[in-house]
Structure formats: C-alpha cells, structure tokens
Amino acid sequence: MTACFDELCPMQKRSRYSKGFFLLLAASLFIGCEQEPVDISRLIGRADAHTEEATDVEILYSDSAQLKVRTTGPVMLRHVERNEGQQEFPDGVKIEFFGPDQQLESILTAKYGLRQETQGLSVVRDSVVWISTKGERLETEELFWDEYKSRIYTKRFVTITRPEEIIYGYGFEANQDLSWSRILATTGRIKVKQLNVD
C-alpha cells in the first residue's frame, strides 16, 4: 500500500472534486431557491384557475334592447365550476332596476352580493337597503332576488319605511319594483304624523 503525502492520490483528488462539486451545487440551489417559497405562496393565494377578478365593474342586463338592470361594484369575482357560474361582490354591490320606460324604479345596495348565473338567483347580505322611487325603503340583513320570477324575499327581520308608516316584521316578499309586498309576521307598526308648518 502506497501513501501519498506531498500530492493527493488520484482517488483522493476525485473524492475532493466530487465533494466540491456537490457543495457548489447545493449552494447554488440554496441561493436560487431562497425566496421561492414566499413567491409561490403569494401565487397560490392569488391564482385560482376557476376564478376571474375584475374591478370597477358595471354589468347591464337588457331585454328586447330595453335596459332592465344595472349592477355595479368595486370588485367582482367570477367563479366557474361545473358549468355553474357565480358572480361574487365581496366589497359591496349596487343594483338599479328600470321600468318599461327605462326610468329608474328602485335601488338595492348591500356590503356583499352573490349571483348564481344559471339559476338567475342572487343573494345580498349585510346592511341591505332597497329603496323605491315611490318613497318606500326596506332594510334587512339578507335578501334574495329571483330574476326569472321578478321577486324578492327574505326570512330575516325587516324594517319597511313608507311615507306614512314604519312596519317591523319577520319574513318579507315582494315583486321587483315593490308595487306589491307583504310581511309574513308583523311585530309592530308605527303611524307617522306629518307636521303642518305654516
């Protein structure tokens, strides 16, 4: 067995070069991937193959070239899964309804909205307010709108304010322009007196 003191033996040289190569490779991978987990987590948080995002949205719905509904919101997320599209308004929504003469009839606002496209069903939640041009005002925490039946309804507590009265109750249904409505369980009614100012 020969020993090499002054120079490295061929086997030792090869072993030393292999170790150096692997150390260099590991260092380059470490440096190259140091920020990668943070970037990937950001991408995973933002990217969703089934969701499209739009800002400052305005959607117009018409029938026979007549404007029927205008929906606006600061952010809209459109979810597409299993042939069922959903339009979500996480930062609030405003829906304006127009009559046959394209005059504004009522306005619905809420802090959250979700519309199921194929079913034509929308739900709005949190600080829901529906105001008609006839001076009626509906306030509740959740309200459903059936586009195909032109009907709105809820099972939650509601407050309806009219020019001459305020009505409280649970459960409500009405047609889209609020020309017909009813409260399912009335809990109180206040007659409003008008003051004569001469």
Side-chain angles (χ1 to χ4, degrees), residues 81-195:
E81 294 181 19
R82 298 178 186 171
N83 299 324
E84 173 65 34
Q86 292 184 338
Q87 298 170 341
E88 182 181 13
F89 294 85
D91 297 334
V93 64
K94 178 181 180 182
I95 306 172
E96 298 169 288
F97 297 91
F98 298 87
D101 54 359
Q102 296 195 7
Q103 293 295 315
L104 183 64
E105 288 186 341
S106 60
I107 299 173
L108 172 64
T109 59
K111 292 184 178 178
Y112 174 85
L114 179 68
R115 176 177 179 259
Q116 296 175 350
E117 295 174 9
T118 56
Q119 297 178 21
L121 183 65
S122 298
V123 58
V124 289
R125 296 187 180 105
D126 194 0
S127 305
V128 179
V129 178
W130 190 305
I131 301 172
S132 77
T133 54
K134 297 177 181 178
E136 292 180 308
R137 180 184 178 98
L138 166 70
E139 296 173 78
T140 187
E141 284 304 307
E142 182 180 65
L143 190 67
F144 292 88
W145 168 40
D146 188 325
E147 297 173 31
Y148 299 137
K149 296 180 181 178
S150 297
R151 176 176 168 258
I152 59 172
Y153 58 93
T154 185
K155 293 182 179 179
R156 300 288 186 93
F157 181 78
V158 296
T159 301
I160 298 177
T161 305
R162 293 180 175 142
E164 296 184 356
E165 63 184 356
I166 301 173
I167 307 169
Y168 304 98
Y170 289 90
F172 174 82
E173 59 183 8
N175 55 3
Q176 190 169 289
D177 62 359
L178 292 179
S179 59
W180 173 87
S181 64
R182 73 173 180 157
I183 296 177
L184 304 181
T186 305
T187 59
R189 192 179 202 122
I190 300 172
K191 187 80 170 174
V192 178
K193 292 183 180 180
Q194 291 187 356
L195 297 174

